[in-house]
Amino acid sequence: MTGRLHFLYHELRAEGSEYAYVMKTAEFARQMELFQRLQQGGGAGLVPEVTFDDGDVSNYEQALPVLQQTGVTARFFITVGWTAQRAGYMSSEQLRGLQAAGQKIGAHGWTHTLLTHCDAAQLKAELLDARLKLEDELGTAVTTMSLPGGRYNQRVLEACREHGYTQVFTSVPQASTAADAWLVGRLNLVGGTDLAWLEKVLDPASGVLAALERKDKIKGMAKSVLGDTLYAKVWSIVNRSEPEAGAGA
Ligand SMILES: [Zn+2]
């Protein structure tokens, strides 16, 4: 039984950036060449899968051409309230363009608010309204959701199920074995990732993924000790990213 490991990307730029959430397009292209080879059965380890969060315009402008060249299919999780509203994010036409090119689309909330901070009415807006709006724009069912900031608890997961999702993507670096798993772990990738290291991550025998999982558990404990707001500030200083981008999703 071969497992899968989902990776999480956010934004690509041709020239790169000091922000950890941005990856150079050329680096992404090298990773997709590796992933294409591994997806075709070129490795004995985990099969890599690609996801993007937030709906940055570079997903369409920079990532799509690379995916088409390498034949890799990605899943794009869209912050629905930012679509066609916020500078730097995709338009509805671009979302339809991704779909028409065979790429997959899921939801990433309406406003990117951490769902653990939402009451029932806010959860409905972030989950149900976002899903229905995306379905209107795409003309197909949307049943996958990725959690803003990777934050969830039992109440959030119950709301996801209640509002029509069949699969929820987290930011916990974990491989999945069943294609239809309810919770799907992901490993967030930042710019400047070593390709040889990436191959090791995909090889369970290397122990690299298991070490990342342990580190993530410690991070989870730091979050519960510091609280979300302070944790996000510390995280943004360490990673030179904007707190709004969330810690890991
Ligand atoms: Zn996000």
Side-chain angles (χ1 to χ4, degrees), residues 16-36:
S17 161
E18 67 180 19
Y19 292 115
Y21 276 70
V22 177
M23 182 179 285
K24 272 190 183 174
T25 307
E27 181 183 356
F28 178 71
R30 285 194 296 277
Q31 295 181 359
M32 291 312 106
E33 284 160 15
L34 169 68
F35 287 6
Q36 193 267 349

Side-chain angles (χ1 to χ4, degrees), residues 53-54 108 112 245 249:
D53 274 6
D54 297 350
H108 191 48
H112 206 276

Side-chain angles (χ1 to χ4, degrees), residues 8 10 21 53-54 77 79 82 108 112 146-150 244-246 248-249:
L8 167 56
H10 290 85
Y21 276 70
D53 274 6
D54 297 350
F77 292 102
T79 307
W82 295 354
H108 191 48
H112 206 276
S146 101
L147 302 156
E244 188 187 52

Side-chain angles (χ1 to χ4, degrees), residues 155-236:
R155 194 175 61 94
V156 165
L157 294 181
E158 277 163 20
C160 287
R161 211 186 274 281
E162 182 193 341
H163 294 307
Y165 296 96
T166 59
Q167 196 161 45
V168 174
F169 289 67
T170 71
S171 306
V172 178
Q174 246 171 2
S176 40
T177 44
D180 61 349
W182 163 237
L183 282 180
V184 179
R186 295 183 298 174
L187 174 58
N188 186 47
L189 287 183
V190 296
T193 297
D194 182 61
L195 207 58
W197 178 84
L198 204 50
E199 283 196 78
K200 275 191 198 145
V201 169
L202 288 159
D203 173 14
S206 74
V208 173
L209 184 60
L212 289 170
E213 263 189 76
R214 284 196 297 274
K215 202 173 138 193
D216 184 75
K217 276 206 186 100
I218 294 166
K219 213 165 86 177
M221 283 185 261
K223 271 180 211 172
S224 59
V225 172
L226 295 172
D228 271 335
T229 310
L230 183 58
Y231 177 80
K233 276 185 196 154
V234 172
W235 177 264
S236 72

Side-chain angles (χ1 to χ4, degrees), residues 141-156:
V142 173
T143 57
T144 56
M145 164 80 198
S146 101
L147 302 156
R151 296 305 201 290
Y152 68 97
N153 53 29
Q154 204 48 45
R155 194 175 61 94
V156 165

